[in-house]
Amino acid sequence: MILYGAILSPFVRKALLALKEKGLAFEHQMVMPGDKSPAFRALSPFGKIPAFADGDFKICDSTAIVTYLDAKYPETPVLPADPAERARAIWFEEFSDTIVGAQVGALFWNRVVAPRFMGQKGDDAAADKAEREGLPPILDYLETQIQANNLLVGQTVSIADLSLGAQFVNLAYAGVEVDAAKYPKLAGYLAVIQARPAFIEVLAAEKALMGG
Ligand SMILES: N[C@@H](CCC(=O)N[C@@H](CS)C(=O)NCC(=O)O)C(=O)O
């Protein structure tokens, strides 16, 4: 199995986390977002990362990749079997990828990617607006959703936790920490999720780029 995509993408990170949580052997090939090579476009027609191949089977999109992995390799599932739990896990994945991702993306792009990797000045106003206006309702909501077992759904780690945890890594890279005094459940949850061996391994590979 081969996962294609550059580290620091929250979607590549989500797929890497799922592969590691499931204990699967795989190869990781770096591909930048928007890669125009015909070989990559055969995997990901619109050039988005991540993409994935398992023998002759090829697919792109982190959600599609994780869906395939869980169906093909059902041991250690990250998609809950219970219908209500599965629906809630997919909701949190979607929420993380879109609603959370929009705000984290504005912060990460303008405070990290543009200045550090593109040699451009980031849009500070857009980042500040995301931090000041976009983020608080998300944090307020999440504070009400963390279960007593420090998971979003069910009794074992799921795609919900991997997707959300992956986004919050980039939030931290953008210099925004969750205030544990204001959001104790969310801050405690993130500490537990991001201390999982899968996160530790994935983040270790990012350290060189992030100067950590
Ligand atoms: N829904 C997709 C989103 C993937 C995505 O937007 N990836 C970004 C990088 S974080 C990308 O490849 N952007 C390049 C482009 O849009 O050309 C997934 O979950 O994989």
Side-chain angles (χ1 to χ4, degrees):
M1 286 191 282
I2 307 175
L3 185 78
Y4 301 86
I7 54 176
L8 303 187
S9 156
F11 306 104
V12 173
R13 190 181 294 125
K14 184 212 298 182
L16 285 169
L17 288 168
L19 282 156
K20 287 185 183 284
E21 287 285 355
K22 292 175 73 63
L24 298 170
F26 65 98
E27 186 188 324
H28 181 196
Q29 288 190 13
M30 290 296 154
V31 177
M32 294 306 284
D35 187 293
K36 288 192 169 46
S37 70
F40 187 64
R41 292 296 168 122
L43 298 167
S44 180
F46 295 91
K48 291 194 182 278
I49 54 170
F52 171 85
D54 187 7
D56 289 340
F57 176 70
K58 298 169 183 14
I59 193 77
C60 61
D61 189 284
S62 62
T63 302
I65 294 166
V66 175
T67 300
Y68 171 81
L69 291 173
D70 231 44
K72 177 112 191 246
Y73 306 99
E75 314 80 29
T76 322
V78 294
L79 294 172
D82 174 79
E85 286 185 358
R86 181 175 296 209
R88 279 179 59 73
I90 297 296
W91 151 244
F92 282 117
E93 180 186 20
E94 175 64 18
F95 169 72
S96 302
D97 288 1
T98 58
I99 295 172
V100 180
Q103 304 307 323
V104 172
L107 280 153
F108 185 62
W109 182 268
N110 290 304
R111 289 188 186 169
V112 179
V113 179
R116 214 187 277 194
F117 301 119
M118 313 284 290
Q120 297 168 6
K121 190 173 159 18
D123 181 341
D124 292 332
D128 292 348
K129 188 163 189 273
E131 182 172 6
R132 224 180 29 249
E133 295 173 26
L135 220 44
I138 288 171
L139 303 182
D140 290 344
Y141 168 67
L142 284 170
E143 184 67 11
T144 69
Q145 297 301 305
I146 308 303
Q147 299 181 156
N149 64 359
N150 273 323
L151 297 169
L152 280 168
V153 177
Q155 302 306 317
T156 55
V157 76
S158 75
I159 192 63
D161 307 302
L162 305 183
S163 308
L164 190 70
Q167 289 289 344
F168 272 80
V169 170
N170 280 10
L171 191 64
Y173 287 159
V176 179
E177 293 295 341
V178 173
D179 179 355
K182 191 163 181 203
Y183 301 107
K185 290 185 183 163
L186 178 59
Y189 159 85
L190 288 168
V192 168
I193 290 297
Q194 292 178 351
R196 296 182 66 82
F199 270 90
I200 305 241
E201 282 177 37
V202 169
L203 297 192
E206 298 181 1
K207 273 204 176 117
L209 267 180
M210 294 309 299

